[in-house]
Amino acid sequence: KAWKENVPDWDERLERFSKTMIEQIDNMAVIAKEFSDFAQMPAGKNGHINLREFIPEILDMYKDFEKVDITLQMPEGEDPMQVYGDRNQLLRVFNNLIKNAIQSYDKHEQARIRVDCEIGEEDYHISVTDYGSGIPNKQQREIFTPYFTTKAKGMGLGLSMVKSIIESFNGNVSFTSREGAGSTFVVSLPPMQPR
């Protein structure tokens, strides 16, 4: 889309997109190998992750999708929002949440998604909000249960995997949803403690 419209920063976008795409492909190769067996999710290779850089890199992947409009709100300031965890696993978390948000819309609708990063009193909070179909009340209790799915296709592991990964980082994930009005998933992660 960017190439067809001959945008002025095409070279910069291509470089960013290529870097992100390679990382996503590598990540998908791991998922393809491990995803069918939830219990055998690969051990994490934990390290420092700066959310100020990490979240925009993920969203870059979706910015040129037709019928997808994603906005990002970051807290003011330049201080890195450092957390400790496995980069590939955190990538899976946000890919899953964004994919679910996109799929909450009818395929002919424009998908509007908002990502907000906030610095709380004890944790960093990253919320992914859509204004799509929402989750029916009767299904909300089961949403993080392994093998539960509301989709015709799918294994029902996405959100249970999200919960497992975030809890392994000593964080938590929660959501609010209203049928017909959309959903918000909030990932809370503790800041990396200085040594």
Side-chain angles (χ1 to χ4, degrees):
K1 182 173 176 283
W3 176 72
K4 282 183 180 177
E5 293 176 0
N6 199 23
V7 295
D9 62 343
W10 163 246
D11 290 342
E12 183 184 331
R13 285 198 195 193
L14 179 61
E15 185 176 346
R16 262 196 343 258
F17 179 84
S18 299
K19 176 176 175 274
T20 306
M21 178 64 82
I22 290 166
E23 190 172 63
Q24 294 274 16
I25 290 168
D26 289 344
N27 189 39
M28 288 301 293
V30 175
I31 293 172
K33 185 177 177 186
E34 302 288 349
F35 196 72
S36 63
D37 192 343
F38 181 63
Q40 291 185 7
M41 193 151 62
K45 296 178 182 176
N46 291 342
H48 304 172
I49 302 169
N50 180 358
L51 295 176
R52 283 193 188 274
E53 297 173 355
F54 181 77
I55 299 295
E57 284 176 9
I58 295 171
L59 300 189
D60 268 349
M61 183 72 188
Y62 299 90
K63 281 189 176 172
D64 290 319
F65 278 30
E66 290 187 24
K67 295 191 177 294
V68 176
D69 179 25
I70 300 182
T71 58
L72 171 63
Q73 184 68 42
M74 273 284 181
E76 291 183 7
E78 299 294 327
D79 293 341
M81 297 168 63
Q82 293 273 14
V83 297
Y84 188 71
D86 180 274
R87 184 180 176 85
N88 283 337
Q89 289 184 1
L90 201 56
L91 189 62
R92 292 183 199 184
V93 165
F94 288 105
N95 275 335
N96 188 277
L97 294 179
I98 293 167
K99 180 191 73 173
N100 285 354
I102 292 169
Q103 291 176 347
S104 74
Y105 291 87
D106 183 274
K107 63 182 180 180
H108 302 296
E109 290 182 291
Q110 180 77 18
R112 290 187 303 116
I113 299 162
R114 196 180 79 235
V115 178
D116 293 287
C117 298
E118 298 176 352
I119 301 173
E121 289 185 14
E122 296 183 358
D123 294 323
Y124 298 128
H125 306 290
I126 308 99
S127 62
V128 178
T129 300
D130 67 69
Y131 307 93
S133 58
I135 303 165
N137 289 339
K138 62 183 180 181
Q139 296 176 344
Q140 291 187 16
R141 195 181 308 176
E142 307 293 330
I143 207 72
F144 292 114
T145 303
Y147 305 108
F148 175 81
T149 182
T150 60
K151 301 170 188 173
K153 295 181 180 178
M155 299 168 66
L157 292 177
L159 287 173
S160 60
M161 180 187 69
V162 164
K163 187 173 189 290
S164 177
I165 290 171
I166 294 304
E167 287 179 351
S168 77
F169 297 163
N170 297 316
N172 65 72
V173 59
S174 60
F175 75 96
T176 56
S177 185
R178 194 153 59 91
E179 192 169 1
S183 305
T184 297
F185 281 80
V186 181
V187 170
S188 299
L189 292 168
M192 190 183 70
Q193 298 300 320
R195 292 185 177 181

